Amino acid sequence: MAILKVAQIGHPILRQQARTVPLEELRTPGFQAFIDSMIETMRDAAGAGLAATQVHEPVQVCVMEVKDNPRYPYKPNIPLTILVNPVLTPLSETKFENFEGCLSVPDLRGIVRRHVELRVQALDRLGEPIDRIVRGITAGTFQHECDHLQGTLFIDRVEDPRTLCTWKEFARQHEARFREHVKEIVEHYGS
Ligand code: NI
């Protein structure tokens, strides 16, 4: 395992469409070690998630975990989740406003509208199928990470650039109101 270097906005790898991972490649020790390194890198950077393109590998893998995250203290916890070749299908047109940040976009946050209910189909790290529904704030995290695998960053989805702010200004200007918004979503959707 190793802590990998996280690509920063401007690096072309972040704009690349990731390729699907064949089962035989996924199950190799080398690929399993790469997944372990992604998990280690995410935890080291206190990210809520990390996509393979962010660590310079254009393969369709993302990892997520939220456990009392200091970068996002209001986020509901997400147990360690590894998605390989994920496909997300929105279950309704209902969206919510999510104030997002990204390890590849230093010191910037902005409001992105995300589907509030999704079907997630993917493989787990061993190649077993995942087919589940995710809702609420957690659905926002899934969409952010899977966007990376298409070469899309959250700033591409910020509809009003006037919502962009530094992390310090987020804490000063927006966090209290956003926490209330998150509370309502969690009460309604459970995560
Ligand atoms: Ni990101």
Side-chain angles (χ1 to χ4, degrees):
M1 284 199 291
I3 292 173
L4 306 169
K5 195 173 170 198
V6 178
Q8 299 294 287
I9 184 169
H11 195 296
I13 187 72
L14 294 171
R15 296 312 193 170
Q16 212 167 313
Q17 157 83 51
R19 65 171 174 84
T20 56
V21 184
L23 265 187
E24 53 275 20
E25 182 183 0
L26 176 62
R27 290 175 173 153
T28 59
F31 206 94
Q32 292 295 312
F34 169 64
I35 292 173
D36 286 333
S37 296
M38 283 184 66
I39 296 165
E40 198 182 357
T41 303
M42 168 180 68
R43 288 175 175 164
D44 179 69
L50 186 73
T53 47
Q54 290 182 277
V55 289
H56 306 83
E57 292 291 340
V59 289
Q60 289 186 24
V61 180
C62 59
V63 298
M64 283 167 279
E65 183 179 52
V66 177
K67 208 161 56 184
D68 310 321
N69 188 301
R71 271 165 60 89
Y72 303 100
Y74 47 81
K75 266 196 194 219
N77 286 348
I78 303 175
L80 179 63
T81 303
I82 294 134
L83 300 180
V84 179
N85 305 338
V87 176
L88 303 185
T89 311
L91 293 179
S92 72
E93 280 309 305
T94 311
K95 292 185 176 178
F96 71 102
E97 290 192 341
N98 202 22
F99 233 119
E100 298 193 9
C102 180
L103 294 175
S104 294
V105 183
D107 202 21
L108 201 62
R109 300 187 62 144
I111 293 181
V112 180
R113 283 160 48 75
R114 296 291 191 185
H115 290 282
V116 81
E117 286 181 295
L118 297 172
R119 181 179 180 189
V120 181
Q121 292 165 288
L123 301 177
D124 70 13
R125 67 180 298 168
L126 301 174
E128 297 300 323
I130 294 170
D131 189 346
R132 49 178 288 218
I133 290 169
V134 290
R135 295 189 170 88
I137 302 294
T138 299
T141 305
F142 274 64
Q143 285 162 90
H144 177 113
E145 297 312 325
C146 291
D147 264 359
H148 274 299
L149 304 178
Q150 310 294 325
T152 298
L153 299 175
F154 82 88
I155 49 164
D156 308 346
R157 295 197 186 276
V158 170
E159 288 168 22
D160 182 355
R162 288 172 298 184
T163 65
L164 291 169
C165 60
T166 63
W167 283 66
K168 188 175 166 191
E169 291 302 330
F170 171 77
R172 282 163 61 167
Q173 316 289 347
H174 304 292
E175 187 167 348
R177 202 165 358 120
F178 185 60
R179 276 175 182 262
E180 286 304 308
H181 176 61
V182 167
K183 220 168 99 186
E184 282 168 25
I185 293 165
V186 172
E187 275 165 16
H188 202 85
Y189 292 97
S191 58

